Amino acid sequence: MNKSLFKLTPLAAIIGIISSSMAINSMADEQTEIEEVVAYGSPIYDSQAAAVDAKRSAGNTLDIISADTIGRFPDQNLADSIGRLPGVAIERDQGQARYINFRGAPFRYTKIAIDGIDVPGAENGRVPRFDSFPSTITSRIEANKAVLPSMPGDTISGYVNVITFDPFSKEGLSLAADIGAGKQELGDGDIEKYSLRAGWSNDSIGIVAFGSHNKRDQITDNREYDLEKNDAGELVVNSLEYRNYKVQREDNAWGGRVEYRGDDVLKRVYFNTLYSEFIDNEERNQFVFDFLSPVAGVKADDQAVSISRLLEDGTYKNSTRTHTLGAEFQTNNWKLMPSVTLTKTKFDMFLPIPRSVGGGVSDGVTASYDVSDIEDPILTLSSPLAGINYAATIGIPYTQLLDNEETKLRFDAETPIMVMGNDATLSLGTQYDQRTARGHVASFALDTTGIASLDINSFNTGKTWSSNTTNSIDGTYYDNAGVLDAWQATGALNNQTIADSDKIQIDESVLAAYGMADIRTTWGSVIAGARVERTDYSSEGTIEGRKIKEEDNFVNVLPAVHINVDLAEDVKWRNSVTTGVSRPNYDEWRAAVAVSASDKTARGGNPQLNAEESVGFDTSVEWYFAPASLISAAAFYRTIDNVIYADSTTVDGGRYLSSAAGEEWTYTGFVNGSDGKLQGLELNALVSLREWIDGPLGGFGVSTNVTLLDSDFKTASKETKQLPGTSDTVFNASVFYEAGGVSARVNYQYRDEWVSPIEDPDEVWGEQQRVDMSVSYDLPWEMDGGYASVYVNANNLTNETDNRYAENGTINQSESYGRSYLAGVRINY
């Protein structure tokens, strides 16, 4: 294993040209602008002070992350950045942050917006994957925990608004760049990171353009298990899987803003554009060892075994493209803000898998195993793995596709008013979203002809796996790309037909209107209002060759009240009552179903699902005892009706075939539960010693938060289960230091076990922890107002292994991917 920390690319040789720190903006909500803070001498302190001030001034409960704070953490994407906030936990895929569980809720309960415009998810039509949005394009992040009526209604747990760069943040020419290179320790994979932002503005015109590219090559060392326990409590090993993934992950983003600002009726007109994409190129080398007569015990010798070999050279890709044209007019006392947004998202998965089966059985090959260390199982064969003969090879191309298109028309207006002698702002607005979704869920076909003509053994490179655990089977890499090319040359991959039962064809429109008043009093403030949303949708599908179309509409009335009391000059007490809705995603809502009249079964989507509905209560006390310091405690409670989950339930067969009316069928898919609840307690502290200590020791500070959570709901059969995504405990802690141009952070993240709906709703992820570190130095050179800093990031310093567990309590998967290191330079002018 190559232990080198990093190898700098030639571009990194420009270290030391210019030195600076980032200019940041913070704001309380969509209606309130916070004065921008430009931090040069103390970027961490000044950024935290700006974020604390924005949180303090907000009319609702929120947390803010500034651009400089993002840049000085070793974050790979926005999920990493947001995961450092109180009450937020991360769901990872092969070590990389993918989704966030906002206040321990399922990730579907969080809405994401770009510059105040909510965007659909590429993968399921609802929730964007946060790993498709790099941190470097971001000016700030606003994480709203108690939502306002001006925000979309489908925000049960939180509304995350990602603000890109404002061209007027600096007059004249501005430039920012980040160039980095590094290594993934396991497999000695390369990491590269580039971003560039350039802007120009005068009194009336502002232009900014930005681009970002991140790529990493990594090895994921994976073991999967099929285990159970007998009546005596002894472990029984049914099968062991050895997997090794060669992964290249890449995210790219580019976009910009053009804005004109006037001083008459037309205050501004702007055009925003953003494209972001996530690409996962994955080569899988997998061997499955199925024991023909499983025995009890953690050790066994000379067991009859069937061996399968699975190879793959596949791709996951999702992208989001959004354009917004908007304006702001001031007429009499009214501010009018119309906008139109066009958004396209796409998710495309292609996983072609040649599977060779029946190895070892006819040749009398046996296997011995020792699973005493369950994260490092040892399996040895009586004959070399490379010489195994397989009875047959079949081709299994898995594909998934979803194209979403959305047109959004929005009109907001506000005016100052008086309420009972108090200054107030009245806000009114309407929004219309028209969406179409076309594609299909994960589907596969079988090829028994083209793939059978290939000699798979000839593609064995003989190169031994890079592995964190013991490669006791002597696994070697295959030329997976070569196998795919040869398979495609046979023409067999061009004939895949998607089953009608897997297709998605949904049209949806949401018409919303809201009104709210923001009232400022001598003792605090009150924001009160309501949002009304009407949803119309149609879902087309096929059942037994018969075209069907399901249509429905429903209306949600979503009131909200926020009361903020100034208990003292530096102490706030916040109380909120909010409501929200979470509509089914497009996989769940599709009308397509596969049925078997003989078996009385149906499997597929459920267009009759009800949207989840929530009522939430929040209360918090916040003590702002210094400009960049605070201590807060918050409690929250959510009731959630119509909880959507995957299950099997009994239905009337007449739903699918008129001739089966009155028959009891088993439907497997998505159903509504009831009586959901989510409650928790958040404790948060941010302390900078600079307020009390002069000199070098004053550069130290700490940020720490802990969230205690509890959730459950009742299934259709009245069984009590935990909401997916809920860990009982989430903990974050950072120790930072800033003095003499040096900025350093060590960050620790922890969450205990939780249920994840990503692959198996009964699968439990084990507890996870991470230790990351970032050190940067502001170079003592200045050139015409330009500055530069150099940095080193280190991720997963403790080399963690992530485990998952089956419903029976036994481990079913463990994976590790090693440490990673990145070094680079940031430039700002």
Side-chain angles (χ1 to χ4, degrees):
M1 183 185 304
N2 190 327
K3 298 287 185 177
S4 63
L5 300 189
F6 55 85
K7 297 177 182 177
L8 293 178
T9 64
L11 286 174
I14 69 172
I15 289 175
I17 296 178
I18 312 175
S19 147
S20 89
S21 56
M22 308 289 274
I24 66 161
N25 293 331
S26 294
M27 78 177 201
D29 54 44
E30 292 177 313
Q31 288 76 36
T32 305
E33 292 188 0
I34 301 300
E35 180 181 356
E36 187 167 279
V37 175
V38 179
Y40 289 126
S42 304
I44 294 179
Y45 176 88
D46 290 339
S47 296
Q48 290 180 169
V52 167
D53 184 59
K55 177 180 174 68
R56 182 176 185 173
S57 303
N60 64 322
T61 303
L62 62 78
D63 289 297
I64 289 181
I65 309 174
S66 69
D68 196 79
T69 299
I70 295 170
R72 291 174 186 265
F73 272 116
D75 296 336
Q76 299 174 24
N77 56 50
L78 288 185
D80 273 320
S81 302
I82 299 169
R84 306 185 192 285
L85 292 175
V88 179
I90 291 174
E91 293 205 19
R92 300 179 185 273
D93 175 52
Q94 299 192 46
Q96 183 167 308
R98 181 198 293 189
Y99 293 110
I100 62 170
N101 299 124
F102 208 101
R103 284 187 156 175
F107 50 75
R108 64 186 295 144
Y109 291 172
T110 299
K111 193 69 174 177
I112 184 173
I114 307 294
D115 292 323
I117 304 296
D118 53 294
V119 294
E123 196 164 346
N124 56 30
R126 297 297 183 210
V127 185
R129 286 176 55 149
F130 283 82
D131 53 11
S132 66
F133 298 103
S135 299
T136 50
I137 70 168
T138 307
S139 174
R140 66 181 175 275
I141 301 171
E142 303 166 347
N144 296 269
K145 296 180 176 179
V147 300
L148 302 172
S150 56
M151 298 172 184
D154 46 352
T155 49
I156 287 180
S157 62
Y159 174 73
V160 177
N161 190 17
V162 179
I163 308 296
T164 57
F165 290 98
D166 180 359
F168 290 93
S169 61
K170 179 183 178 182
E171 187 173 359
L173 180 65
S174 64
L175 177 71
D178 190 336
I179 303 170
K183 280 294 180 182
Q184 191 79 24
E185 188 177 65
L186 180 60
D188 196 32
D190 292 328
I191 302 174
E192 56 188 46
K193 177 179 182 180
Y194 308 114
S195 67
L196 176 66
R197 171 176 57 89
W200 179 87
S201 69
N202 59 19
D203 291 339
S204 58
I205 297 176
I207 303 171
V208 66
F210 53 80
S212 173
H213 167 76
N214 295 287
K215 187 171 72 173
R216 64 178 54 236
D217 297 318
Q218 74 172 58
I219 298 294
T220 301
D221 191 24
N222 179 279
R223 302 291 179 266
E224 299 200 9
Y225 316 76
D226 179 4
L227 310 174
E228 59 182 303
K229 291 185 178 180
N230 60 20
D231 294 339
E234 298 173 301
L235 191 70
V236 177
V237 180
N238 296 315
S239 70
L240 295 174
E241 290 189 31
Y242 283 65
R243 298 189 183 195
N244 194 280
Y245 294 87
K246 296 173 69 175
V247 180
Q248 184 183 86
R249 290 191 162 176
E250 179 179 349
D251 62 73
N252 301 293
W254 56 85
R257 182 182 183 98
V258 179
E259 182 172 336
Y260 167 79
R261 292 187 178 180
D263 55 7
D264 199 1
V265 174
L266 178 62
K267 292 300 182 183
R268 65 185 182 121
V269 59
Y270 61 89
F271 176 74
N272 289 351
T273 184
L274 171 66
Y275 176 82
S276 67
E277 65 179 6
F278 170 81
I279 305 170
D280 185 349
N281 297 304
E282 176 182 279
E283 293 188 28
R284 182 202 311 182
N285 289 261
Q286 173 186 356
F287 293 90
V288 182
F289 303 92
D290 291 301
F291 297 102
L292 303 183
S293 300
V295 297
V298 298
K299 297 181 180 180
D301 294 322
D302 299 324
Q303 299 297 300
V305 64
S306 174
I307 305 172
S308 298
R309 177 187 62 199
L310 295 88
L311 307 176
E312 170 215 305
D313 180 22
T315 303
Y316 299 83
K317 181 178 180 180
N318 70 68
S319 63
T320 299
R321 186 188 303 275
T322 181
H323 312 288
T324 298
L325 177 64
E328 180 182 318
F329 300 91
Q330 185 71 47
T331 171
N332 296 325
N333 290 326
W334 282 94
K335 181 190 293 185
L336 308 176
M337 295 164 285
S339 67
V340 58
T341 301
L342 305 178
T343 301
K344 291 185 178 182
T345 68
K346 184 172 185 176
F347 176 75
D348 192 358
M349 180 189 78
F350 178 52
L351 304 180
I353 302 176
R355 177 168 186 167
S356 303
V357 297
V361 177
S362 59
D363 295 336
V365 176
T366 61
S368 302
Y369 63 80
D370 181 350
V371 294
S372 301
D373 181 354
I374 200 63
E375 293 183 1
D376 189 11
I378 306 300
L379 183 143
T380 55
L381 297 172
S382 59
S383 297
L385 180 65
I388 295 296
N389 294 314
Y390 298 94
T393 296
I394 58 175
I396 313 173
Y398 281 89
T399 63
Q400 184 175 350
L401 178 68
L402 186 63
D403 281 301
N404 295 317
E405 293 191 13
E406 178 186 80
T407 300
K408 185 188 304 289
L409 303 176
R410 180 171 173 174
F411 184 85
D412 299 280
E414 63 181 49
T415 185
I417 59 173
M418 297 294 293
V419 177
M420 300 177 65
N422 297 295
D423 291 333
T425 300
L426 174 65
S427 298
L428 303 172
T430 184
Q431 181 173 310
Y432 177 73
D433 296 345
Q434 177 65 53
R435 303 165 183 155
T436 62
R438 300 292 185 269
H440 61 86
V441 299
S443 307
F444 69 91
L446 293 179
D447 168 36
T448 58
T449 56
I451 196 69
S453 65
L454 304 182
D455 178 11
I456 303 295
N457 289 333
S458 67
F459 292 91
N460 190 340
T461 68
K463 182 180 179 181
T464 304
W465 286 353
S466 296
S467 181
N468 250 355
T469 54
T470 305
N471 181 13
S472 60
I473 65 171
D474 293 328
T476 55
Y477 291 111
Y478 283 68
D479 177 11
N480 295 26
V483 174
L484 177 59
D485 289 342
W487 188 6
Q488 288 177 322
T490 69
L493 277 175
N494 301 325
N495 302 319
Q496 183 175 1
T497 300
I498 305 301
D500 289 337
S501 59
D502 291 336
K503 293 180 179 179
I504 295 173
Q505 187 172 341
I506 291 177
D507 294 279
E508 178 186 21
S509 66
V510 179
L511 177 62
Y514 75 89
M516 71 178 188
D518 183 355
I519 307 166
R520 280 84 65 188
T521 70
T522 57
W523 48 264
S525 67
V526 176
I527 298 178
R531 187 179 185 92
V532 180
E533 294 190 344
R534 175 189 167 97
T535 304
D536 292 83
Y537 75 94
S538 66
S539 181
E540 298 183 35
T542 303
I543 298 179
E544 292 284 89
R546 174 173 54 92
K547 297 289 186 180
I548 64 169
K549 184 176 183 178
E550 296 276 357
E551 297 180 294
D552 199 3
N553 63 77
F554 52 90
V555 176
N556 296 99
V557 180
L558 307 170
V561 177
H562 304 266
I563 301 174
N564 306 295
V565 181
D566 296 328
L567 298 179
E569 184 178 353
D570 55 0
V571 179
K572 277 188 176 291
W573 178 30
R574 301 184 188 273
N575 297 275
S576 299
V577 179
T578 57
T579 50
V581 62
S582 176
R583 300 173 183 85
N585 68 41
Y586 295 149
D587 180 4
E588 297 162 345
W589 239 354
R590 63 192 171 94
V593 178
V595 302
S596 172
S598 58
D599 296 329
K600 297 183 179 181
T601 61
R603 180 184 298 272
N606 182 2
Q608 299 178 19
L609 277 174
N610 294 318
E612 298 167 288
E613 298 175 339
S614 171
V615 178
F617 306 89
D618 293 78
T619 186
S620 63
V621 176
E622 302 163 358
W623 179 26
Y624 298 90
F625 58 91
S629 301
L630 68 88
I631 293 176
S632 65
F636 57 91
Y637 181 83
R638 300 282 187 275
T639 63
I640 305 165
D641 198 16
N642 302 323
V643 175
I644 297 172
Y645 70 105
D647 203 355
S648 295
T649 188
T650 301
V651 299
D652 189 323
R655 176 189 293 187
Y656 309 107
L657 297 175
S658 58
S659 59
E663 296 181 359
E664 290 189 348
W665 281 34
T666 298
Y667 164 73
T668 300
F670 305 98
V671 297
N672 287 118
S674 62
D675 301 325
K677 73 173 188 295
L678 172 68
Q679 57 191 345
L681 174 67
E682 292 177 1
L683 303 174
N684 180 34
L686 173 61
V687 180
S688 175
L689 295 184
R690 174 175 169 175
E691 311 294 345
W692 302 276
I693 301 176
D694 295 328
L697 290 179
F700 282 101
V702 62
S703 173
T704 182
N705 57 76
V706 61
T707 305
L708 307 177
L709 296 158
D710 180 51
S711 74
D712 59 56
F713 73 98
K714 286 185 171 58
T715 66
S717 59
K718 303 306 179 183
E719 180 184 1
T720 299
K721 288 193 173 185
Q722 190 177 43
L723 284 173
T726 306
S727 292
D728 292 337
T729 303
V730 177
F731 178 71
N732 290 290
S734 296
V735 177
F736 57 87
Y737 179 79
E738 182 178 53
V742 175
S743 300
R745 292 179 186 263
V746 177
N747 188 78
Y748 174 76
Q749 293 179 312
Y750 170 84
R751 68 179 304 186
D752 62 9
E753 64 181 27
W754 77 98
V755 175
S756 174
I758 293 178
E759 295 180 7
D760 184 345
D762 294 319
E763 185 176 68
V764 176
W765 288 56
E767 63 178 21
Q768 289 186 2
Q769 58 184 353
R770 289 291 184 279
V771 178
D772 302 324
M773 181 184 71
S774 180
V775 179
S776 65
Y777 175 64
D778 294 335
L779 297 172
W781 305 326
E782 181 177 348
M783 181 182 297
D784 194 24
Y787 299 84
S789 61
V790 292
Y791 65 88
V792 175
N793 293 344
N795 291 82
N796 191 27
L797 285 174
T798 52
N799 194 19
E800 296 296 325
T801 296
D802 295 340
N803 296 325
R804 309 182 199 181
Y805 298 87
E807 191 175 19
N808 63 12
T810 64
I811 192 171
N812 70 357
Q813 185 174 162
S814 65
E815 65 180 18
S816 56
Y817 27 81
R819 305 173 183 88
S820 63
Y821 306 91
L822 179 74
V825 58
R826 296 188 184 98
I827 304 168
N828 192 290
Y829 173 77

